[in-house]
């Protein structure tokens, strides 16, 4: 038997005690290190469906792969600012987010076709376009050119104009001079201007205060978001322009995706699908009946001349630089998807 000299023995026992102490103080850290870290960042508020869907994602994954993933959900843009998520994912500082067509268009200009007003007709049309060959081609293009993989599209809702003060709005001319808040990118600002307004860039998290203090006259978002972010508390009118059937995409960083085994990838994909289904089902259900809620809160809900808005917005895109990046024939293929 090897003899341990007294000095070595006392050193060993000090080390053993230190290790035992560490294990007692940091047991979860030690366990978490063996798990695959999945950090999520989104500007979504907790009460919006695409905020809640991340809990479905986490629960689905915890069930299909117990103890395998450490899913950390960060809502309200607390981890990364709105629009900076793709860069954070490319750097390896973030694993998952829901990114918009506008975020993708910054790197893949062809994708801007999905940022254009009055291209996608309704949620069913969106599901058919994204669920068919066009979706496959465009998601591959984005995944090939960015350092993220798009796992699934999500219906964010149909965007409407929401104003601080009641105003007769029939046509785009009636929005002249209205400071309409849009998220801050060229494609967003183009959409706001195409609607006839003065597009004013502001991050989502600052919209409530902007409406309250009057630094902006209005904003546009799908109605479930107007409810969840409580914009109805600081606005008086909804104008049902239906100008953008908006989609976002659950995306995962390539660093995280490629480090996973095929079995892990399949579980993450299934969890993303479950999250998307939860969002889509609840959002559609809510959109179908939400107008009464706003009326009960004292808001004036008006229907403008939607054909006049459609004509002006489609015309603005047709003659724009943005549309020059759209793949030849894609608009017709989208229009012909029934
Ligand atoms: C917004 O800032 O108006 C917007 O609706 C844009 C979307 O692309 C998306 O970022 C969304 O905000 C957030 O998820 C908050 O709902």
């Amino acid at each position: 038997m090897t003899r341990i000299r007294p000095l070595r023995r006392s050193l060993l026992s000090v080390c053993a005690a230190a290790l035992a102490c560490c294990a007692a103080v940091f047991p979860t850290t030690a366990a978490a290190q063996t798990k695959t870290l999945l950090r999520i960042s989104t500007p979504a508020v907790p009460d919006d469906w695409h905020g809640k869907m991340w809990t479905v994602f986490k629960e689905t994954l915890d069930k299909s792969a117990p103890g395998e993933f450490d899913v950390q959900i960060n809502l309200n843009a607390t981890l990364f600012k709105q629009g900076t998520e793709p860069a954070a994912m490319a750097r390896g500082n973030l694993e998952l987010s829901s990114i918009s067509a506008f975020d993708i268009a910054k790197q893949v200009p062809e994708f801007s076709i999905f940022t254009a007003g009055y291209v996608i007709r309704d949620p069913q049309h969106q599901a058919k376009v994204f669920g068919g060959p066009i979706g496959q081609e465009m998601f591959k293009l984005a995944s090939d050119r960015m350092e993220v993989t798009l796992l699934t599209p999500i219906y964010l809702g149909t965007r409407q104009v929401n104003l601080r003060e009641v105003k007769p709005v029939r046509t785009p001319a009636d929005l002249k001079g209205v400071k309409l808040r849009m998220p801050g990118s060229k494609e967003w600002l183009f959409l706001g201007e195409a609607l006839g307004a003065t597009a004013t860039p502001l991050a989502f998290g600052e919209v409530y205060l902007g409406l309250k203090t009057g630094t902006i006259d209005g904003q546009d978002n799908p109605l479930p978001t107007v409810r969840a972010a409580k914009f109805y508390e600081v606005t008086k009118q909804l104008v049902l322009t239906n100008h953008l059937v908006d989609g976002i995409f659950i995306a995962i960083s390539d660093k995280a995706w490629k480090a996973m085994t095929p079995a892990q990838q399949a579980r993450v994909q299934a969890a993303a699908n479950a999250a998307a289904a939860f969002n889509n089902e609840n959002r559609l259900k809510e959109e179908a009946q939400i107008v009464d809620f706003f009326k009960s809160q004292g808001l004036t809900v008006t229907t403008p001349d939607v054909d006049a808005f459609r004509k002006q917005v489609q015309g603005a895109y047709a003659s724009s630089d943005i549309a020059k990046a759209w793949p030849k024939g894609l608009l017709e293929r989208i229009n012909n998807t029934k």
Side-chain angles (χ1 to χ4, degrees):
M1 210 212 274
T2 325
R3 267 192 74 224
I4 302 176
R5 272 177 287 161
L7 180 60
R8 261 179 87 193
R9 197 183 301 146
S10 61
L11 265 177
L12 281 175
S13 55
V14 168
C15 288
L19 278 175
C21 168
C22 280
V25 176
F26 304 116
T28 49
T29 314
Q33 271 164 7
T34 63
K35 293 186 183 181
T36 300
L37 178 62
L38 294 181
R39 289 163 295 187
I40 297 159
S41 181
T42 167
V45 293
D47 201 22
D48 209 339
W49 299 110
H50 67 304
K52 291 184 184 176
M53 78 174 179
W54 288 112
T55 304
V56 174
F57 175 85
K58 181 176 163 54
E59 286 173 358
T60 309
L61 209 47
D62 285 347
K63 214 188 238 170
S64 66
E68 218 174 302
F69 294 95
D70 176 19
V71 180
Q72 299 179 2
I73 306 172
N74 302 278
L75 305 176
N76 289 320
T78 45
L79 196 56
F80 287 100
K81 277 207 289 195
Q82 182 181 31
T84 64
E85 301 90 349
M89 286 193 273
R91 286 198 307 272
N93 295 339
L94 178 69
E95 284 71 42
L96 282 147
S97 185
S98 56
I99 63 176
S100 71
F102 295 80
D103 297 324
I104 298 171
K106 285 186 202 161
Q107 293 180 57
V108 185
E110 292 89 334
F111 221 86
S112 64
I113 199 159
F114 298 125
T115 71
Y118 301 107
V119 166
I120 300 290
R121 293 187 293 270
D122 52 45
Q124 292 71 29
H125 185 216
Q126 185 190 63
K128 282 198 181 130
V129 170
F130 288 166
I134 297 175
Q136 270 177 17
E137 287 160 34
M138 296 300 280
F139 301 163
K140 183 170 181 320
L141 192 69
S143 298
D144 285 351
R145 287 222 220 126
M146 298 171 78
E147 289 168 74
V148 304
T149 295
L150 302 187
L151 296 179
T152 179
I154 297 163
Y155 175 54
L156 186 65
T158 301
R159 297 183 86 92
Q160 316 289 357
V161 169
N162 177 209
L163 300 175
R164 240 185 129 238
E165 298 296 342
V166 178
K167 182 177 168 44
V169 180
R170 244 182 52 77
T171 69
D174 298 320
L175 287 179
K176 192 169 182 338
V178 168
K179 277 187 271 162
L180 187 68
R181 172 272 169 180
M182 304 300 286
S185 81
K186 110 172 176 269
E187 289 80 8
W188 278 116
L189 298 176
F190 188 91
L191 177 61
E193 296 283 331
L195 288 166
T198 302
T200 308
L202 202 62
F204 182 80
E206 290 162 39
V207 175
Y208 185 95
L209 201 60
L211 290 167
K212 193 172 174 157
T213 58
T215 53
I216 49 173
D217 302 320
Q219 65 92 29
D220 87 305
N221 252 297
L223 297 185
T225 299
V226 175
R227 179 198 54 77
K230 298 195 175 0
F231 295 153
Y232 63 87
E233 291 179 353
V234 283
T235 54
K236 298 207 175 103
Q237 185 176 3
L238 285 165
V239 187
L240 303 180
T241 45
N242 288 327
H243 57 271
L244 182 69
V245 179
D246 206 359
I248 49 173
F249 307 87
I250 294 187
I252 187 162
S253 84
D254 279 347
K255 282 196 172 70
W257 188 241
K258 287 178 183 160
M260 285 180 196
T261 63
Q264 284 179 318
Q265 287 183 345
R267 287 187 199 117
V268 169
Q269 180 69 63
N273 294 350
F278 168 85
N279 168 84
N280 296 352
E281 194 181 308
N282 284 294
R283 192 176 294 279
L284 282 164
K285 213 185 283 168
E286 189 181 17
E287 266 189 339
Q289 32 143 54
I290 199 171
V291 164
D292 286 344
F293 166 76
F294 294 117
K295 286 186 179 160
S296 78
Q297 297 299 309
L299 270 78
T300 301
V301 182
T302 60
T303 304
D305 180 348
V306 176
D307 284 341
F309 273 96
R310 186 181 298 109
K311 203 164 161 225
Q312 154 138 341
V313 170
Q314 287 181 342
Y317 279 95
S319 57
S320 72
D321 282 346
I322 290 184
K324 289 196 181 119
W326 300 350
K328 204 162 173 291
L330 185 58
L331 183 60
E332 291 70 24
R333 286 175 66 204
I334 292 176
N335 288 341
N336 291 335
T337 303
K338 301 262 152 61

